[in-house]
Amino acid sequence: QDGDFKFPLESVKKLKELMEGNRHINPRLMVPMGSYSPCQEKQLPEEFRPVCKREDAPMIFRRLSLAAEDDLCEICANAACAGCF
């Protein structure tokens, strides 16, 4: 979840894979992760399309990608959770 948006964890994991895959194309052409938006990607899951209409889409995608980190449990990935570490 990010604000009013709610997405299935599997879709968020797919988003993370998509974002990480495009980060390593060419180091000279790398776009900073904070400004990258996968909205032009054909593989972007359809449930993320409403996010693409927002100005803050790159930051929303960044937060969602962080929530899908492999080393976090699903409870700790929730922004409302505190005290897991």
Side-chain angles (χ1 to χ4, degrees), residues 3-63:
D4 293 336
F5 294 108
K6 293 182 182 184
F7 307 101
L9 181 59
E10 289 305 313
S11 294
V12 175
K13 288 180 180 180
K14 191 178 288 187
L15 171 70
K16 181 180 185 325
E17 290 174 15
L18 182 66
M19 291 178 73
E20 285 183 348
N22 286 320
R23 218 172 37 171
H24 302 292
I25 295 172
N26 183 337
R28 292 183 190 182
L29 301 175
M30 254 177 43
V31 176
M33 207 46 180
S35 63
Y36 170 74
S37 177
C39 292
Q40 303 303 319
E41 303 293 336
K42 292 179 182 178
Q43 300 89 359
L44 182 68
E46 194 62 36
E47 55 265 30
F48 294 114
R49 294 293 172 195
V51 176
C52 293
K53 297 175 183 175
R54 295 178 50 123
E55 281 186 30
D56 59 345
M59 290 308 300
I60 292 173
F61 287 129
R62 173 80 174 123
R63 287 191 299 265

